[in-house]
Amino acid sequence: MIGDWKSGSTPNRKNIDFYKNGTIPWLLTGDLNDGIIKNIPNKITKLAYTETSLKLNPKGSVCIAMYGATIGKLGILDFPATTNQACCVCSDFKGIGNLYLFYYLKQHKNIFIHQGFGGAQSNISKEKIISTLLPLPPLGEQKRIVSKIEELFEALDHIQSNLV
């Protein structure tokens, strides 16, 4: 296992005390931006956190959407946050860098979409994400791969900005 995988939940929407003046970030899959997540508009209260199964995911956690139109959408938390049940989160990494995992899952998005099942709203399960095989080079090589990916993205951004 490359890390600790979990999904979130949704506190009862009818209980206003779970949301009114909330201070704990609560990520919905619509907040995933395929990059670093620096802001989450939804918040829950401490009461919601203590009375539900929600867990606080640490900064640096990798999040992936499991349902509907957002399947495979990703994000890396820039601060601790909880998530709803449509989001699968990996933290406490073992032998893998969070950026390496992020980029691998990102390139795997179309496969996840194809694996989606269900009626009105297609979805993938946490188990499918966890059982996805991925090449796992040593951490030093992972860092070199991430560095090269980011160097190429930076070059592409530069090219695009000069096209305008």
Side-chain angles (χ1 to χ4, degrees):
M1 189 76 93
I2 60 167
D4 182 22
W5 291 92
K6 58 187 159 238
S7 55
S9 68
T10 299
N12 186 339
R13 294 262 192 197
K14 293 178 183 175
N15 188 340
I16 191 75
D17 293 332
F18 284 171
Y19 298 94
K20 187 177 179 186
N21 300 318
T23 58
I24 300 170
W26 182 54
L27 181 131
L28 307 178
T29 55
D31 301 323
L32 297 172
N33 60 8
D34 286 330
I36 305 297
I37 299 168
K38 297 183 180 282
N39 181 40
I40 297 174
N42 296 290
K43 308 276 192 280
I44 58 165
T45 62
K46 289 181 183 174
L47 180 68
Y49 182 74
T50 58
E51 291 193 8
T52 65
S53 61
L54 284 166
K55 303 290 182 234
L56 197 61
N57 301 291
K59 176 180 178 174
S61 296
V62 175
C63 308
I64 183 169
M66 298 187 291
Y67 301 164
T70 58
I71 286 179
K73 198 95 161 132
L74 292 157
I76 297 177
L77 294 175
D78 197 36
F79 47 84
T82 60
T83 71
N84 73 356
Q85 68 279 3
C87 192
C88 188
V89 180
C90 187
S91 61
D92 301 323
F93 305 99
K94 295 162 186 67
I96 190 167
N98 67 338
L99 287 170
Y100 180 81
L101 176 62
F102 172 82
Y103 285 122
Y104 184 79
L105 293 173
K106 189 171 183 172
Q107 70 81 32
H108 211 75
K109 180 179 181 175
N110 287 335
I111 294 169
F112 288 138
I113 291 170
H114 181 70
Q115 289 177 336
F117 64 93
Q121 191 177 51
S122 182
N123 67 79
I124 55 172
S125 66
K126 180 174 85 169
E127 288 71 29
K128 279 195 178 179
I129 296 168
I130 292 171
S131 65
T132 299
L133 298 177
L134 67 146
L136 198 55
L139 282 171
E141 184 63 18
Q142 291 178 39
K143 289 177 184 177
R144 283 189 285 281
I145 291 168
V146 167
S147 179
K148 187 62 174 178
I149 290 169
E150 290 180 342
E151 176 187 319
L152 291 169
F153 279 147
E154 195 174 299
L156 286 171
D157 289 344
H158 179 72
I159 290 168
Q160 284 181 328
S161 68
N162 286 327
L163 291 175
V164 178

